[in-house]
Amino acid sequence: MAGKSKRGSSAKNSSSGQVSKKRKIGKDEEEESTKKIDCETKEKFHENMKKALRMEMPDDFFEFYEFCKSFGASHVHDALSELLGLQLCGPYDLLHEELSLDTGTKGLVQAESSGNMKYHLNSRFYFDPPEVMTVVRESSHQTGLHLGYFRDSPNELPSLVVSNRSEEDCVFTQCGDNIFAAVCNYAGDLLKSTKNKAKKEKIEVLLVSLKEFAQKYNHSLQLVTVKTQKRSKMVVAKTFHKMGLVVPLDGSGVGYRPLNLADNALRKVLTKICKAKNEDEKNKCYDDLHELITFVQFANDECDYGMGLELGIDLFCFGNEAFKQQVLQLLPLAYSLLGRELYAEIIEKHMQNREKPFVDQVIEET
């Protein structure tokens, strides 16, 4: 793992001072003026983040950053560390860098032109498939707990927020459809397990503030919403990470065909390969896997691209170095065939840098 990024102090808003020198304005007019500036700023960073990351960030991403800023911590990233043991990470590093620059968009323009994957590797944990973008992680790094957006395609907004403990397994848990819901759920669970009375009271105050902020922006705090239900109906297959698989299907159902092995049977095949005592035994065990890959090739020829994606994701989530070659054979191709080229790039870079507990690239200064 590389070291932490340097974080600048928040940029000062000089425009308000200039307005006050020109003339006095009423409170309502001042609030409206501030609101307009905030909207312009948010719109600018929406567009700039999209260019840098090559995917659009949802409104709650920016609004949660605003919520954390309201705590007045010296570092916005650590606003939740003391009470919840959580810190902002991933694309928040990029957003924080840009908000701290007087030039506003300098770093984002450089990120766009550099064409590298460092922002997508930042806080990418061992079991994170390309569909997951981590935005919050535990400060202690003990269990690998992290929360992230889950989007089936880089061309669409996230439909879920999920959590995973990478030191335990590859399984992800649905935590609502926005980051407020995910953190609220986590804080609620922490509140139940906290015995220190003073800390419980502080968490309760934080929860009230978080709920009010979410309500202000009309974010649901429910774990199951209309958006998550809509995605559930589109899932065509289970996966080892439990979030399922969503791929486009035509009117005849072309786009996906199931694997010839159920999940449990596939796990047994992969376990046998990993436990083989010698190369001859391992090669014999590989026969079933090679047969599956052959079926994937047939499926790709007939436009059922979801089959290769499912097998590739399951091999990735199984987490053994023995299947690195097969993951790289299946996933980049599957993503490319599905028009998800950014995910093909992410998985290739992740497999080159895959390590526990997570890959943490530095945002380089120029």
Side-chain angles (χ1 to χ4, degrees):
M1 292 182 291
K4 294 182 178 179
S5 307
K6 293 184 179 179
R7 297 167 182 159
S9 58
S10 299
K12 295 181 180 178
N13 185 351
S14 59
S15 60
S16 60
Q18 294 171 353
V19 171
S20 63
K21 289 180 182 179
K22 290 182 179 179
R23 61 185 175 89
K24 293 182 179 181
I25 58 178
K27 182 178 180 182
D28 292 341
E29 188 178 357
E30 184 177 9
E31 288 178 352
E32 184 61 36
S33 175
T34 302
K35 183 186 296 183
K36 182 178 180 181
I37 292 171
D38 287 343
C39 287
E40 289 176 352
T41 301
K42 185 182 295 185
E43 183 177 349
K44 178 185 71 174
F45 281 101
H46 258 293
E47 186 60 30
N48 290 336
M49 292 286 287
K50 182 178 180 179
K51 288 179 180 178
L53 297 170
R54 293 158 62 190
M55 57 173 61
E56 188 172 357
M57 299 304 293
D59 287 338
D60 64 279
F61 170 78
F62 300 93
E63 290 151 3
F64 191 74
Y65 185 88
E66 183 182 341
F67 168 73
C68 290
K69 280 182 66 177
S70 69
F71 284 86
S74 57
H75 289 301
V76 181
H77 289 65
D78 299 321
L80 305 177
S81 293
E82 182 179 353
L83 284 181
L84 303 184
L86 300 176
Q87 63 181 178
L88 305 187
C89 64
Y92 277 121
D93 289 342
L94 178 58
L95 178 63
H96 185 75
E97 287 285 317
E98 296 315 307
L99 289 171
S100 302
L101 290 173
D102 292 335
T103 53
T105 61
K106 177 183 176 183
L108 287 170
V109 172
Q110 291 170 342
E112 180 189 2
S113 62
S114 66
N116 60 49
M117 286 280 102
K118 62 184 176 184
Y119 298 116
H120 289 287
L121 292 184
N122 188 325
S123 296
R124 179 161 294 280
F125 285 68
Y126 189 80
F127 289 111
D128 289 354
E131 290 83 357
V132 172
M133 174 184 276
T134 297
V135 293
V136 176
R137 68 191 185 198
E138 67 179 348
S139 307
S140 64
H141 309 305
Q142 290 182 344
T143 68
L145 170 70
H146 56 292
L147 310 174
Y149 291 114
F150 189 102
R151 61 183 100 202
D152 296 292
S153 169
N155 303 319
E156 60 190 37
L157 285 168
S159 53
L160 304 171
V161 174
V162 297
S163 68
N164 167 256
R165 296 180 186 272
S166 63
E167 290 296 294
E168 296 178 4
D169 55 37
C170 67
V171 175
F172 286 81
T173 303
Q174 179 178 307
C175 303
D177 64 18
N178 64 85
I179 196 64
F180 287 95
V183 173
C184 183
N185 179 63
Y186 175 82
D189 290 342
L190 183 64
L191 182 64
K192 295 175 184 177
S193 62
T194 300
K195 297 180 179 180
N196 183 287
K197 184 177 180 180
K199 186 173 182 178
K200 284 178 73 76
E201 291 176 350
K202 290 180 180 179
I203 295 175
E204 288 172 348
V205 171
L206 184 147
L207 272 170
V208 169
S209 178
L210 187 148
K211 290 175 181 178
E212 289 177 349
F213 219 92
Q215 185 177 17
K216 172 184 174 183
Y217 289 108
N218 298 315
H219 294 306
S220 171
L221 297 178
Q222 301 299 313
L223 299 185
V224 179
T225 67
V226 172
K227 188 188 292 187
T228 63
Q229 288 178 326
K230 180 180 179 181
R231 182 188 180 274
S232 294
K233 294 177 181 178
M234 299 170 64
V235 170
V236 297
K238 295 180 179 180
T239 48
F240 284 5
H241 60 45
K242 302 301 183 184
M243 287 298 102
L245 193 76
V246 173
V247 293
L249 305 176
D250 69 10
S252 303
V254 174
Y256 170 78
R257 68 179 65 177
L259 294 174
N260 298 59
L261 289 177
D263 284 356
N264 288 338
L266 177 57
R267 282 196 186 91
K268 289 180 180 179
V269 169
L270 302 182
T271 300
K272 283 183 179 180
I273 293 173
C274 294
K275 291 185 176 180
K277 297 177 181 179
N278 53 61
E279 285 301 312
D280 288 340
E281 184 179 341
K282 180 178 289 188
N283 290 335
K284 186 176 180 180
C285 293
Y286 262 118
D287 288 345
D288 289 335
L289 179 58
H290 290 157
E291 184 178 31
L292 278 179
I293 293 175
T294 299
F295 288 142
V296 166
Q297 293 168 347
F298 293 149
N300 286 341
D301 291 340
E302 298 176 13
C303 300
D304 287 326
Y305 306 138
M307 186 182 190
L309 180 59
E310 181 183 7
L311 181 56
I313 287 292
D314 285 348
L315 291 176
F316 173 81
C317 289
F318 193 78
N320 194 288
E321 182 71 14
F323 306 112
K324 179 178 180 179
Q325 179 182 343
Q326 287 75 22
V327 170
L328 289 172
Q329 178 184 353
L330 292 165
L331 283 185
L333 177 59
Y335 286 129
S336 295
L337 291 172
L338 286 164
R340 303 172 182 177
E341 286 81 4
L342 177 58
Y343 286 172
E345 295 178 45
I346 291 174
I347 193 64
E348 288 178 335
K349 290 296 183 182
H350 189 184
M351 293 304 291
Q352 292 173 15
N353 297 275
R354 199 179 189 193
E355 59 184 59
K356 291 186 177 181
F358 57 88
V359 177
D360 198 12
Q361 302 292 331
V362 174
I363 295 179
E364 299 169 353
E365 293 185 340
T366 57

